[in-house]
Amino acid sequence: MEKSSQRLLSLDFFRGATVAAMILVNNPGDWGNIYAPLEHASWNGCTPTDLIFPFFLFIVGVSIAYAMGSKKADPALHNQTILKAFKRALILFGLGLFLSLYPKVFTEPFEAFKTVRIPGVLQRIALVFFFSSVIFLKNSERSIFKILIGLLVVYWALLTFVPVPHVGYPNLEKETNLGAWLDRSLLTEAHLWKSAKTWDPEGILSTVPSIASGLFGVLVGIYLKRKDVEAAAKIAWLFSAGFAAVALGLLWDLEFPINKSLWTSSYVLYAGGLATVILSLSYWIIDVQKYTRFTTPFVVYGVNAITVFFLSGLIPRTLNMIQVKMSDGTTAGAQWWLYKSFYSPNFSPVNASLAWAVTQILFWLIILWIMYKKKIFIKV
């Protein structure tokens, strides 16, 4: 952010809550035992877990409006700002690739690069951040809105009207939609999501509407920054816009189903609308009414969001490199040994899995709180 006085505490709170939720759903003790709300929808539809990633991209967009606002006003600074955004995007993309390569890159480097998954969460964040930054700097608010709508309409048209090569007709199925074909053609199956192999939830074509999710946040950030509108009026308008987007998303769902893996246009509107409502409520409570006592645990997550997301993915991979002998005589990774030794015997299967995930959140909360107190903020 440009200055601490311009920083939205509610935005840090929302970001922190979103990242904590990411860690919760990404780190169950046992992937075979998960409460339904903590799982992704099997295909069409939307669970609470499906809202986490678009919320984060929305927050990226809001942050862009705050962090680059003064740069936008001076065209002489645009090129320099875009270059910085590009460098940051490269770092984020590289961190995502490293997570995909680790730890195999140190034991079987040739095989690791031969089969590395190229798309991913951090990679998508990088692309959305960069393109949203450029669009924000170079366009008016009205033009950004038009671009957002254009991206959603073009994506809908591509998936519902363009015949898929080797299939012959447009469709929205997992392996035969246009996006899946494009990923297999350009990236090859060896570099896609290992759980599917023939398609990727963070694929090339679905990055187009994910940029719209970022622009949704940009527009909300621009409006929140306005000084000529009273706080109460901001909340009223943003609540109205959020509910309208949710309604439009649900209406579009009848023809173009809400689907996270495809990142459908209806999904962008639905998730963006809910994010707008939540941020508006947080802004009113935290920044306007100054009720802040409950925010610190989430803020400590929010100010080091990318750091904790990256490390929370790195540590389990590292633990699993350490082989430990189990009680039945077999060997397993240290993380699985810890889970089976201290969690499985004391809870039901689904509660043991949840307890492990909650432990991860509390563990990182302690680390992040120490960093926060020492004013250690790692910027990518």
Side-chain angles (χ1 to χ4, degrees), residues 270-283:
Y270 178 72
L274 289 176
T276 301
V277 170
I278 293 172
L279 180 59
S280 301
L281 181 61
S282 301
Y283 173 72

Side-chain angles (χ1 to χ4, degrees), residues 95-165:
L95 289 174
L97 281 180
F98 181 78
L99 281 180
S100 295
L101 289 164
Y102 185 80
K104 201 172 184 179
V105 69
F106 296 112
T107 57
E108 302 175 76
F110 178 77
E111 186 65 22
F113 281 99
K114 185 178 177 181
T115 60
V116 63
R117 181 193 176 200
I118 296 175
V121 172
L122 285 174
Q123 293 91 315
R124 174 158 288 184
I125 292 173
L127 293 172
V128 170
F129 167 72
F130 177 70
F131 286 108
S132 296
S133 297
V134 174
I135 292 170
F136 169 72
L137 288 169
K138 295 297 186 180
N139 292 275
S140 66
E141 187 175 354
R142 183 185 295 272
S143 296
I144 294 171
F145 178 76
K146 289 179 179 178
I147 292 170
L148 189 161
I149 298 302
L151 292 175
L152 298 183
V153 172
V154 167
Y155 185 64
W156 162 75
L158 287 173
L159 259 63
T160 56
F161 292 108
V162 176
V164 181

